[in-house]
Amino acid sequence: MKRTKSKDNPKSAPRAAKSAGQAGRDWQQHDADYAQEQTRYADPIPSRKLILDMLAQHEGPLTLDELIGIFELHKLTQQEALSKRLVAMVREGQLAVNRRGAYGPVTQMNLVAGSVQAHRDGFGFLIPDAGGKDVFLAPKQMRSLMNGDRVLVRVVGLDYKGRPEGVVAEVIERVSRSVVGRLHVERGVSYVIPDNPRVQQDLLIPADDLARAGARHGQMVVAEIVEPPGNRTLPVGRITEILGEHLAPGMEIEAAIRAHSLPHDWPAAVEREAAAIPDTVQPGQIEGREDLRQLPLVTIDGADARDFDDAVHARREKRGGWTLWVAIADVSAYVTPEAPLDKEAFKRGNSVYFPQRVIPMLPEKLSNGLCSLNPDVDRLCMVCEMRVLPDGEIAKSRFFEGVMRSHARLIYEDVAEMLDDPAGAKARQRAAVLPHLQVLSEVFDALFAARSRRGAIDFESTETKIVFSGERKIDRIVPVKRNRAHRLIEECMVAANVEAAKLVEKAKLPNLYRIHEDPDPMKVDTLREFLALKGLSLGGGDKPKAGDFAKVLEQARGRPDVLLIQTVLLRTLMQARYSPGNVGHFGLALTHYAHFTSPIRRYPDLLLHRAIKHAIAKRRLLRRKPDFIYTQEQMEAFGTHCSMTERRADEATREVTTWLKCEYMSHHVGDEFDGTVSGVAPFGLFVELDGLYVDGLVHVSTLKNDYYEFDDRTHRLRGGRNGMSYGLGDRLRIKVARVNLDERKIDLEMIRQLAKAPRARGDVRSDSLQRNDPQSRPSKSRSAKRKSR
């Protein structure tokens, strides 16, 4: 246990304790958040920050009674409130409790708090709440844990891959309360095989519970965990819901919703609050807002979109450049802090977009109604008005509350066609809006030029859309091409997001930024070694910028190995997340970035709108407005939660899409296809099938006539005897060998190699075989709506 006492100055600890004691008695004067505590409690108690500071200064952990004595909390209400706060701080991983019931900061007890992410192969990782490197958990540590559990882990060293390795010190919270899976009844033993591959243990179902539930072998069920797993025992559960037959249409979504604990039913309080809101904008709501109803704002979205949260318009200026308006639905006018709607929106974190189904963050009355910028109706909005210079830089901006009326609901494909062919049929049908779109196109050219100058990274990818038949089975999978209209909206949204981030930072308000941290130096070194083999180099020295990555991409365009180079570049980058600490956005090459443009479907955007409104009101009231309702500490918790819900949604939608593709391919077992190697791993080749946009695995064990090893420097599988090798871009003739719907796997067998990917000039061959540790399959970037960034 870490102590403040110093060997060089043994009296330092008593002095610190004495100082801490004085601060405890006069805690109201030392608590920076005391004013905030007064708004929350009739009898205020020390804030979390003060409690952490007090414990950090003390010689060792303190019990509840000791803390009550130090802070001189004489009222029973204060003592009970402090007890509840300490329990919450333990649950959220800020404090740990030792065997005598004393509390200490986890950082000083050499513990790391976080969530467990299980792997189907038995091991797992701790995802730290405070960020930083994930901690590897060996299979032995995972025996008593389930995916999503919150735990405290003590780091004990490094694993064989050089990652921090930990042992579980304490389970903070059993997050996994239920399991979704397929019921199996064999020889009198009933158990549920989890549908989520991250849940590693089967769930035993007692015979009496099976009889009570009335479930049958093979059905999809939801089972509540009544006994968590132990080191030598499986978890025990009881069936709470029968979803239906295994292959019923839509079952994959129902299973994913429950497997990932996605909130999908509206609480009664939320339904009552939504029902009480008028169906139209009321005259009293317009008072004090700027009237933009005559400004020809338009929305541009996908053909199947139902929630329109942004509208745009631009005007040329005589002195050069343009004025750009980005109007965003004013969700904060209807969703007030701590109301049932707000609590449920926070719980969900974001809308989840499945194929043919959406789990919205807000009820349909708001998401598709009052808060959706539908054409020809009044809508409340938050507006970012920007002065765009001819070179694409933003000279100035202002934010204000407004009322608008969308003049047209446009879709990407139509707008792109109108801009490409101003004399065509689409343009003639929309003659009134065409001139405005052409001005927006000019603004886009300027903004994109500025983007290119600052060196933002622009990866290329093929996004796909699933087209269903009448029975809700996949009919086909088609590519979705990003056109000029997609890019136009994206640049307008990025510009507004940047200005919003700058505003709240200038106002010094707690807020969530969308951050994308600099890549890990070790990964950068590995990338440099790889690029050297390709005759390329990454500039920027020890700290390369986004522009250095962009230059490599530009040099790689047109090369036959561009896919491989882009994949390795992507693996080097960090994952974007939400944080109250602004470190900029590496990929976009921006110093300030926050999410402002989608409050209908993202909670961080709603929080940002509240901060902007506070800044506007404070400026109007000459700084007499009370303090902002949120603290930096609260924003830390918001950022962790919203980053989690975003990952949760991504995992759920990816899982459903993978299942649908497997179900589709189950009707093609035995068929032959041509394909391209899209990924290489030590265990085999991932091959994308021509015209289907589906990937399957050619396992290394099925490659004949040789023993193959993975060359981590060239990302190829090489035969040790005959010199055959396979890498990204190679063309293969394959056969669909088998499809496992439960494990969501498509196994392929190679028939023959059609052609190798052409070697790029400057590509250096490496004959040294180095066995690398297993790597996960490279993920392709995808987004239902690129504006989210």
Side-chain angles (χ1 to χ4, degrees), residues 183-210:
L183 177 65
H184 285 252
V185 182
E186 298 176 355
R187 297 182 180 180
V189 178
S190 305
Y191 56 97
V192 174
I193 298 179
D195 192 60
N196 185 351
R198 291 191 185 278
V199 181
Q200 301 162 346
Q201 301 99 327
D202 294 344
L203 190 63
L204 293 176
I205 306 296
D208 56 346
D209 182 75
L210 179 67

mmCIF file of all heavy atoms in Angstrom, residues 183-210:
data_model
loop_
_atom_site.group_PDB
_atom_site.id
_atom_site.type_symbol
_atom_site.label_atom_id
_atom_site.label_comp_id
_atom_site.label_asym_id
_atom_site.label_seq_id
_atom_site.Cartn_x
_atom_site.Cartn_y
_atom_site.Cartn_z
ATOM 1 N N LEU A 183 -31.329 -22.433 -25.829
ATOM 2 C CA LEU A 183 -31.527 -23.428 -24.778
ATOM 3 C C LEU A 183 -31.239 -24.828 -25.308
ATOM 4 O O LEU A 183 -31.722 -25.217 -26.373
ATOM 5 C CB LEU A 183 -32.970 -23.360 -24.264
ATOM 6 C CG LEU A 183 -33.367 -24.397 -23.206
ATOM 7 C CD1 LEU A 183 -32.578 -24.188 -21.915
ATOM 8 C CD2 LEU A 183 -34.868 -24.344 -22.940
ATOM 9 N N HIS A 184 -30.443 -25.567 -24.538
ATOM 10 C CA HIS A 184 -30.154 -26.963 -24.864
ATOM 11 C C HIS A 184 -30.599 -27.844 -23.700
ATOM 12 O O HIS A 184 -30.298 -27.555 -22.535
ATOM 13 C CB HIS A 184 -28.649 -27.162 -25.121
ATOM 14 C CG HIS A 184 -28.201 -26.639 -26.438
ATOM 15 N ND1 HIS A 184 -27.849 -27.432 -27.494
ATOM 16 C CD2 HIS A 184 -28.074 -25.363 -26.867
ATOM 17 C CE1 HIS A 184 -27.500 -26.677 -28.527
ATOM 18 N NE2 HIS A 184 -27.628 -25.410 -28.167
ATOM 19 N N VAL A 185 -31.325 -28.892 -24.021
ATOM 20 C CA VAL A 185 -31.755 -29.868 -23.014
ATOM 21 C C VAL A 185 -31.243 -31.231 -23.459
ATOM 22 O O VAL A 185 -31.686 -31.782 -24.472
ATOM 23 C CB VAL A 185 -33.284 -29.889 -22.876
ATOM 24 C CG1 VAL A 185 -33.695 -30.877 -21.783
ATOM 25 C CG2 VAL A 185 -33.821 -28.494 -22.570
ATOM 26 N N GLU A 186 -30.266 -31.758 -22.724
ATOM 27 C CA GLU A 186 -29.650 -33.028 -23.085
ATOM 28 C C GLU A 186 -29.501 -33.906 -21.849
ATOM 29 O O GLU A 186 -28.880 -33.502 -20.865
ATOM 30 C CB GLU A 186 -28.271 -32.791 -23.719
ATOM 31 C CG GLU A 186 -28.326 -31.989 -25.022
ATOM 32 C CD GLU A 186 -26.936 -31.702 -25.568
ATOM 33 O OE1 GLU A 186 -25.952 -32.040 -24.870
ATOM 34 O OE2 GLU A 186 -26.844 -31.142 -26.669
ATOM 35 N N ARG A 187 -30.105 -35.105 -21.900
ATOM 36 C CA ARG A 187 -29.989 -36.103 -20.833
ATOM 37 C C ARG A 187 -30.340 -35.527 -19.464
ATOM 38 O O ARG A 187 -29.664 -35.761 -18.462
ATOM 39 C CB ARG A 187 -28.573 -36.681 -20.805
ATOM 40 C CG ARG A 187 -28.215 -37.436 -22.080
ATOM 41 C CD ARG A 187 -26.834 -38.030 -21.995
ATOM 42 N NE ARG A 187 -26.493 -38.749 -23.232
ATOM 43 C CZ ARG A 187 -25.341 -39.376 -23.429
ATOM 44 N NH1 ARG A 187 -24.417 -39.394 -22.478
ATOM 45 N NH2 ARG A 187 -25.112 -40.003 -24.577
ATOM 46 N N GLY A 188 -31.398 -34.730 -19.454
ATOM 47 C CA GLY A 188 -31.881 -34.180 -18.199
ATOM 48 C C GLY A 188 -31.145 -32.953 -17.715
ATOM 49 O O GLY A 188 -31.499 -32.384 -16.680
ATOM 50 N N VAL A 189 -30.097 -32.519 -18.454
ATOM 51 C CA VAL A 189 -29.332 -31.326 -18.086
ATOM 52 C C VAL A 189 -29.734 -30.191 -19.024
ATOM 53 O O VAL A 189 -29.708 -30.342 -20.252
ATOM 54 C CB VAL A 189 -27.813 -31.572 -18.169
ATOM 55 C CG1 VAL A 189 -27.049 -30.308 -17.822
ATOM 56 C CG2 VAL A 189 -27.421 -32.712 -17.244
ATOM 57 N N SER A 190 -30.102 -29.053 -18.435
ATOM 58 C CA SER A 190 -30.516 -27.890 -19.227
ATOM 59 C C SER A 190 -29.488 -26.769 -19.059
ATOM 60 O O SER A 190 -29.066 -26.475 -17.937
ATOM 61 C CB SER A 190 -31.892 -27.404 -18.767
ATOM 62 O OG SER A 190 -32.835 -28.452 -18.814
ATOM 63 N N TYR A 191 -29.131 -26.171 -20.148
ATOM 64 C CA TYR A 191 -28.179 -25.060 -20.102
ATOM 65 C C TYR A 191 -28.397 -24.154 -21.298
ATOM 66 O O TYR A 191 -28.910 -24.558 -22.345
ATOM 67 C CB TYR A 191 -26.735 -25.573 -20.064
ATOM 68 C CG TYR A 191 -26.357 -26.485 -21.212
ATOM 69 C CD1 TYR A 191 -25.701 -25.988 -22.335
ATOM 70 C CD2 TYR A 191 -26.648 -27.844 -21.172
ATOM 71 C CE1 TYR A 191 -25.351 -26.816 -23.395
ATOM 72 C CE2 TYR A 191 -26.303 -28.686 -22.220
ATOM 73 C CZ TYR A 191 -25.657 -28.158 -23.329
ATOM 74 O OH TYR A 191 -25.318 -28.979 -24.375
ATOM 75 N N VAL A 192 -28.002 -22.887 -21.135
ATOM 76 C CA VAL A 192 -28.118 -21.885 -22.195
ATOM 77 C C VAL A 192 -26.723 -21.585 -22.725
ATOM 78 O O VAL A 192 -25.820 -21.222 -21.958
ATOM 79 C CB VAL A 192 -28.772 -20.581 -21.667
ATOM 80 C CG1 VAL A 192 -28.756 -19.503 -22.754
ATOM 81 C CG2 VAL A 192 -30.191 -20.857 -21.213
ATOM 82 N N ILE A 193 -26.560 -21.772 -24.042
ATOM 83 C CA ILE A 193 -25.297 -21.399 -24.690
ATOM 84 C C ILE A 193 -25.412 -19.941 -25.114
ATOM 85 O O ILE A 193 -26.253 -19.590 -25.942
ATOM 86 C CB ILE A 193 -25.012 -22.292 -25.907
ATOM 87 C CG1 ILE A 193 -24.858 -23.751 -25.475
ATOM 88 C CG2 ILE A 193 -23.754 -21.827 -26.634
ATOM 89 C CD1 ILE A 193 -24.603 -24.706 -26.624
ATOM 90 N N PRO A 194 -24.605 -19.040 -24.533
ATOM 91 C CA PRO A 194 -24.744 -17.609 -24.819
ATOM 92 C C PRO A 194 -24.598 -17.294 -26.301
ATOM 93 O O PRO A 194 -23.759 -17.875 -26.998
ATOM 94 C CB PRO A 194 -23.619 -16.970 -24.000
ATOM 95 C CG PRO A 194 -23.341 -17.952 -22.915
ATOM 96 C CD PRO A 194 -23.552 -19.299 -23.540
ATOM 97 N N ASP A 195 -25.443 -16.366 -26.769
ATOM 98 C CA ASP A 195 -25.369 -15.924 -28.151
ATOM 99 C C ASP A 195 -24.186 -14.990 -28.360
ATOM 100 O O ASP A 195 -23.640 -14.912 -29.451
ATOM 101 C CB ASP A 195 -26.676 -15.208 -28.522
ATOM 102 C CG ASP A 195 -26.811 -14.956 -30.014
ATOM 103 O OD1 ASP A 195 -26.806 -15.930 -30.774
ATOM 104 O OD2 ASP A 195 -26.902 -13.780 -30.408
ATOM 105 N N ASN A 196 -23.800 -14.294 -27.303
ATOM 106 C CA ASN A 196 -22.664 -13.364 -27.372
ATOM 107 C C ASN A 196 -21.373 -14.160 -27.182
ATOM 108 O O ASN A 196 -21.150 -14.740 -26.126
ATOM 109 C CB ASN A 196 -22.796 -12.302 -26.285
ATOM 110 C CG ASN A 196 -21.709 -11.241 -26.368
ATOM 111 O OD1 ASN A 196 -20.756 -11.368 -27.129
ATOM 112 N ND2 ASN A 196 -21.867 -10.190 -25.587
ATOM 113 N N PRO A 197 -20.489 -14.198 -28.192
ATOM 114 C CA PRO A 197 -19.253 -14.984 -28.064
ATOM 115 C C PRO A 197 -18.326 -14.502 -26.948
ATOM 116 O O PRO A 197 -17.441 -15.235 -26.526
ATOM 117 C CB PRO A 197 -18.593 -14.829 -29.442
ATOM 118 C CG PRO A 197 -19.232 -13.645 -30.077
ATOM 119 C CD PRO A 197 -20.607 -13.549 -29.506
ATOM 120 N N ARG A 198 -18.536 -13.271 -26.454
ATOM 121 C CA ARG A 198 -17.707 -12.773 -25.358
ATOM 122 C C ARG A 198 -18.106 -13.384 -24.007
ATOM 123 O O ARG A 198 -17.349 -13.300 -23.054
ATOM 124 C CB ARG A 198 -17.785 -11.247 -25.272
ATOM 125 C CG ARG A 198 -17.125 -10.538 -26.443
ATOM 126 C CD ARG A 198 -16.999 -9.047 -26.146
ATOM 127 N NE ARG A 198 -16.479 -8.310 -27.271
ATOM 128 C CZ ARG A 198 -15.193 -8.216 -27.582
ATOM 129 N NH1 ARG A 198 -14.307 -8.831 -26.836
ATOM 130 N NH2 ARG A 198 -14.796 -7.510 -28.622
ATOM 131 N N VAL A 199 -19.312 -13.923 -23.931
ATOM 132 C CA VAL A 199 -19.733 -14.596 -22.691
ATOM 133 C C VAL A 199 -19.254 -16.034 -22.784
ATOM 134 O O VAL A 199 -19.750 -16.824 -23.582
ATOM 135 C CB VAL A 199 -21.261 -14.526 -22.514
ATOM 136 C CG1 VAL A 199 -21.663 -15.220 -21.213
ATOM 137 C CG2 VAL A 199 -21.718 -13.069 -22.502
ATOM 138 N N GLN A 200 -18.291 -16.379 -21.968
ATOM 139 C CA GLN A 200 -17.554 -17.628 -22.144
ATOM 140 C C GLN A 200 -18.194 -18.827 -21.453
ATOM 141 O O GLN A 200 -17.964 -19.963 -21.852
ATOM 142 C CB GLN A 200 -16.122 -17.441 -21.610
ATOM 143 C CG GLN A 200 -15.370 -16.325 -22.308
ATOM 144 C CD GLN A 200 -14.164 -15.869 -21.504
ATOM 145 O OE1 GLN A 200 -14.032 -16.186 -20.330
ATOM 146 N NE2 GLN A 200 -13.282 -15.113 -22.140
ATOM 147 N N GLN A 201 -19.003 -18.596 -20.397
ATOM 148 C CA GLN A 201 -19.546 -19.716 -19.640
ATOM 149 C C GLN A 201 -20.987 -20.000 -20.051
ATOM 150 O O GLN A 201 -21.793 -19.071 -20.218
ATOM 151 C CB GLN A 201 -19.506 -19.424 -18.123
ATOM 152 C CG GLN A 201 -18.118 -19.146 -17.594
ATOM 153 C CD GLN A 201 -17.854 -17.645 -17.452
ATOM 154 O OE1 GLN A 201 -18.346 -16.854 -18.228
ATOM 155 N NE2 GLN A 201 -17.067 -17.292 -16.449
ATOM 156 N N ASP A 202 -21.308 -21.285 -20.207
ATOM 157 C CA ASP A 202 -22.704 -21.678 -20.371
ATOM 158 C C ASP A 202 -23.432 -21.448 -19.046
ATOM 159 O O ASP A 202 -22.833 -21.474 -17.963
ATOM 160 C CB ASP A 202 -22.809 -23.146 -20.762
ATOM 161 C CG ASP A 202 -22.221 -23.419 -22.147
ATOM 162 O OD1 ASP A 202 -22.019 -22.438 -22.901
ATOM 163 O OD2 ASP A 202 -21.953 -24.589 -22.459
ATOM 164 N N LEU A 203 -24.745 -21.256 -19.131
ATOM 165 C CA LEU A 203 -25.550 -20.951 -17.950
ATOM 166 C C LEU A 203 -26.438 -22.145 -17.620
ATOM 167 O O LEU A 203 -27.298 -22.537 -18.416
ATOM 168 C CB LEU A 203 -26.401 -19.709 -18.227
ATOM 169 C CG LEU A 203 -27.137 -19.070 -17.060
ATOM 170 C CD1 LEU A 203 -26.142 -18.549 -16.035
ATOM 171 C CD2 LEU A 203 -28.016 -17.926 -17.547
ATOM 172 N N LEU A 204 -26.216 -22.739 -16.443
ATOM 173 C CA LEU A 204 -27.007 -23.897 -16.027
ATOM 174 C C LEU A 204 -28.418 -23.461 -15.638
ATOM 175 O O LEU A 204 -28.602 -22.443 -14.956
ATOM 176 C CB LEU A 204 -26.345 -24.592 -14.845
ATOM 177 C CG LEU A 204 -24.997 -25.281 -15.120
ATOM 178 C CD1 LEU A 204 -24.416 -25.835 -13.832
ATOM 179 C CD2 LEU A 204 -25.162 -26.387 -16.147
ATOM 180 N N ILE A 205 -29.420 -24.241 -16.051
ATOM 181 C CA ILE A 205 -30.817 -23.965 -15.713
ATOM 182 C C ILE A 205 -31.359 -25.130 -14.893
ATOM 183 O O ILE A 205 -31.448 -26.260 -15.388
ATOM 184 C CB ILE A 205 -31.674 -23.782 -16.982
ATOM 185 C CG1 ILE A 205 -31.082 -22.707 -17.899
ATOM 186 C CG2 ILE A 205 -33.120 -23.450 -16.607
ATOM 187 C CD1 ILE A 205 -31.063 -21.321 -17.308
ATOM 188 N N PRO A 206 -31.725 -24.911 -13.642
ATOM 189 C CA PRO A 206 -32.288 -26.005 -12.818
ATOM 190 C C PRO A 206 -33.568 -26.569 -13.449
ATOM 191 O O PRO A 206 -34.309 -25.853 -14.129
ATOM 192 C CB PRO A 206 -32.584 -25.316 -11.475
ATOM 193 C CG PRO A 206 -31.674 -24.124 -11.452
ATOM 194 C CD PRO A 206 -31.568 -23.677 -12.866
ATOM 195 N N ALA A 207 -33.836 -27.844 -13.192
ATOM 196 C CA ALA A 207 -34.973 -28.534 -13.809
ATOM 197 C C ALA A 207 -36.303 -27.886 -13.448
ATOM 198 O O ALA A 207 -37.185 -27.750 -14.304
ATOM 199 C CB ALA A 207 -34.973 -30.004 -13.388
ATOM 200 N N ASP A 208 -36.487 -27.480 -12.179
ATOM 201 C CA ASP A 208 -37.761 -26.892 -11.789
ATOM 202 C C ASP A 208 -37.995 -25.552 -12.483
ATOM 203 O O ASP A 208 -39.129 -25.206 -12.818
ATOM 204 C CB ASP A 208 -37.848 -26.740 -10.263
ATOM 205 C CG ASP A 208 -36.695 -25.923 -9.698
ATOM 206 O OD1 ASP A 208 -35.705 -25.706 -10.422
ATOM 207 O OD2 ASP A 208 -36.777 -25.508 -8.526
ATOM 208 N N ASP A 209 -36.907 -24.798 -12.724
ATOM 209 C CA ASP A 209 -37.065 -23.526 -13.422
ATOM 210 C C ASP A 209 -37.418 -23.748 -14.889
ATOM 211 O O ASP A 209 -38.211 -23.000 -15.464
ATOM 212 C CB ASP A 209 -35.782 -22.701 -13.322
ATOM 213 C CG ASP A 209 -35.917 -21.345 -14.009
ATOM 214 O OD1 ASP A 209 -36.584 -20.465 -13.438
ATOM 215 O OD2 ASP A 209 -35.376 -21.193 -15.123
ATOM 216 N N LEU A 210 -36.838 -24.772 -15.481
ATOM 217 C CA LEU A 210 -37.154 -25.083 -16.876
ATOM 218 C C LEU A 210 -38.634 -25.430 -17.013
ATOM 219 O O LEU A 210 -39.316 -24.972 -17.941
ATOM 220 C CB LEU A 210 -36.290 -26.245 -17.360
ATOM 221 C CG LEU A 210 -36.530 -26.687 -18.804
ATOM 222 C CD1 LEU A 210 -36.085 -25.601 -19.773
ATOM 223 C CD2 LEU A 210 -35.798 -27.990 -19.092
#
